[in-house]
Amino acid sequence: MPALLQRHYRTVILLCCFLILFANQGLPATSFNVYQSYLVELPGVGAVGGSFVLTVRAFVSLVVMFFVAAFYRRVDPRYGVLAATLSTAAGFALYGLLPTLAGLVAGSVLTGIGYGLGGMVATTMILGRWFAGSVGKAAGFIGMGSGVASFVIPTLAAEIIEAAGLSTAFFCEAALALLLALLFAVFLRSDPRQVGLKPYRAEEDGPASDGQAQPKRIARTRRGGARHDLSPRERRLMLFAVTLMGGVAITGFGYFSVLLTSSGISPLAAAVITSIGGACLATGKLACGWAFDRWGTRTGTIVFFAVLVIGLGLCTTVAFGGQNEGFFAAVLFCTGISVSATGIAVWSLELSSAAATMKTIRDFNLAYAAGGFVFNMMPGILAELTGSYAATYGVFIVFSLVSAVIIVRTYTRRYREAAC
């Protein structure tokens, strides 16, 4: 391997992880909403069938996550990611070949496998092997992958659909996933030792926001650098907090566009505002990671939860403020929910022993996905009862506050233990 490439291989790994999430989360999930208006018009699909296609993908990815830790104990993540991306490519190819309800459901099974096997669990595991110190900015950068897909792919897909048809758009995404799989096969390495390197280590300690010396990476600095696990009670609370965040981030973002249109904003304006929100989600993940590394994980978590709560508050009143308030709601809400993706990567690495890292990563991501799945029906039910989707975002304010309190208290206890 050329010496220059070897010296900068961690950058190659970051780009690979970015593209892994772009392919396996961005294509089948965060950017897939562009297809819904076309799917419901297909004979034999309709609104119920269109929702069922999404539900199947979410359910399969959830099931796969139950077994992903055991899978990666036996299989190198490099090969697991390759298999996941090929599964995503096959799913989109099947969408294009059989644009019927049965074909779409079968394709969703494959894209669900790709999402569960090649998503945040795999990339967080790779990240933990390549970076021994601060991981906030790295986690934020790779997390941008799915966010970038949410505002790049829909426009391109819509243009292809209008010019050449729905199947052609699906085939294009299949080809893109296949190309990315080839890149992973050539460049991705799950462990720095595979290219003769050691984990990259950055400065870990620094002054906390209160002026006192506090370890930023508290889980790696306790008594000789050893990390220790959460207590059973702490683990249950953290899993509960992450589950609530799954509801806020996955469900909240998924229903944001219909919140705008049901509040009197035109569909065109809602599409533009939602795209702006997607851009804020992508950049917010990087900003969140920077905040974690610059100010410490606890302080960064507080700041981004505060932004999230303010954004949710604007969501509840967007019907009164129109497009202008919708714009600010999108900016703050979507920036705020970036704490979920970046946070889960960092929290799972910091709040576990080295031996339990894989299990913690799996459990946190499983809880997050479960939250999105469990609360997916809540907005429709509340809209039927109250006549507005705004009520859902009011509930999400409570979810966010509860999650913030649990996570911040967990870190506060860890800071105190690390100082002993």
Side-chain angles (χ1 to χ4, degrees):
M1 178 179 293
L4 181 63
L5 180 59
Q6 188 178 39
R7 285 199 303 271
H8 297 283
Y9 212 83
R10 67 176 180 271
T11 303
V12 174
I13 295 302
L14 287 175
L15 289 172
C16 284
C17 288
F18 174 97
L19 292 172
I20 289 167
L21 295 184
F22 181 95
N24 295 315
Q25 288 192 345
L27 298 186
T30 57
S31 69
F32 197 80
N33 58 357
V34 68
Y35 291 106
Q36 285 303 103
S37 59
Y38 299 97
L39 297 185
V40 298
E41 298 297 328
L42 292 174
V45 178
V48 175
S51 296
F52 186 63
V53 169
L54 296 184
T55 301
V56 168
R57 197 273 307 156
F59 178 74
V60 171
S61 64
L62 195 60
V63 171
V64 171
M65 285 184 186
F66 274 106
F67 305 100
V68 72
F71 177 84
Y72 281 123
R73 280 197 293 269
R74 295 169 174 81
V75 177
D76 188 320
R78 176 190 179 191
Y79 301 116
V81 164
L82 178 59
T85 310
L86 290 173
S87 183
T88 297
F92 274 95
L94 195 54
Y95 289 153
L97 286 170
L98 296 173
T100 63
L101 181 58
L104 293 169
V105 169
S108 289
V109 171
L110 293 173
T111 58
I113 292 172
Y115 185 105
L117 198 61
M120 282 299 296
V121 174
T123 54
T124 303
M125 184 178 180
I126 294 170
L127 198 68
R129 291 180 177 181
W130 273 87
F131 291 81
S134 299
V135 295
K137 289 191 290 291
F141 174 77
I142 69 172
M144 288 175 65
S146 59
V148 167
S150 72
F151 70 89
V152 171
I153 294 298
T155 302
L156 296 175
E159 291 180 355
I160 294 172
I161 293 169
E162 294 299 325
L166 183 62
S167 289
T168 302
F170 283 139
F171 286 139
C172 287
E173 293 208 32
L176 177 58
L178 193 60
L179 175 62
L180 292 176
L182 178 61
L183 290 176
F184 302 150
V186 174
F187 293 109
L188 181 63
R189 299 294 184 273
S190 61
D191 194 299
R193 291 174 295 183
Q194 294 173 349
V195 288
L197 297 175
K198 295 180 179 179
Y200 175 71
R201 182 176 297 277
E203 183 65 32
E204 298 185 22
D205 295 338
S209 58
D210 58 5
Q212 298 179 357
Q214 291 279 18
K216 288 184 180 180
R217 294 286 162 254
I218 51 98
R220 295 177 183 265
T221 57
R222 181 181 183 266
R223 292 198 176 107
R227 293 184 291 162
H228 70 296
D229 287 326
L230 295 165
S231 68
R233 180 176 181 274
E234 288 176 325
R235 175 175 288 274
R236 288 193 297 270
L237 286 172
M238 282 297 299
L239 290 174
F240 178 64
V242 171
T243 300
L244 294 180
M245 283 307 301
V248 175
I250 298 174
T251 305
F253 185 74
Y255 280 84
F256 185 72
S257 180
V258 73
L259 167 73
L260 298 179
T261 54
S262 66
S263 299
I265 297 174
S266 70
L268 179 60
V272 173
I273 292 172
T274 303
S275 295
I276 292 171
C280 291
L281 174 60
T283 55
K285 292 176 181 180
L286 184 61
C288 183
W290 178 88
F292 282 9
D293 285 345
R294 179 66 180 85
W295 301 324
T297 305
R298 180 180 62 176
T299 302
T301 298
I302 293 171
V303 168
F304 272 80
F305 265 108
V307 172
L308 173 58
V309 169
I310 294 171
L312 287 168
L314 292 176
C315 288
T316 64
T317 59
V318 72
F320 303 103
Q323 294 182 18
N324 290 336
E325 187 162 347
F327 168 80
F328 288 107
V331 170
L332 293 175
F333 167 62
C334 294
T335 299
I337 60 174
S338 64
V339 73
S340 59
T342 302
I344 287 172
V346 175
W347 302 329
S348 60
L349 288 173
E350 291 185 350
L351 299 176
S352 65
S353 67
T357 296
M358 186 66 246
K359 183 178 185 300
T360 304
I361 293 170
R362 189 280 310 269
D363 289 349
F364 278 26
N365 279 276
L366 187 60
Y368 181 72
F373 182 76
V374 169
F375 294 112
N376 187 59
M377 297 298 294
M378 185 178 72
I381 295 172
L382 289 180
E384 288 289 333
L385 294 174
T386 66
S388 171
Y389 285 93
T392 294
Y393 292 83
V395 174
F396 286 158
I397 291 176
V398 178
F399 283 10
S400 299
L401 291 173
V402 172
S403 296
V405 169
I406 291 172
I407 295 165
V408 171
R409 287 187 64 184
T410 300
Y411 266 90
T412 299
R413 285 193 291 269
R414 286 302 181 92
Y415 279 133
R416 290 171 181 169
E417 292 173 359
C420 296

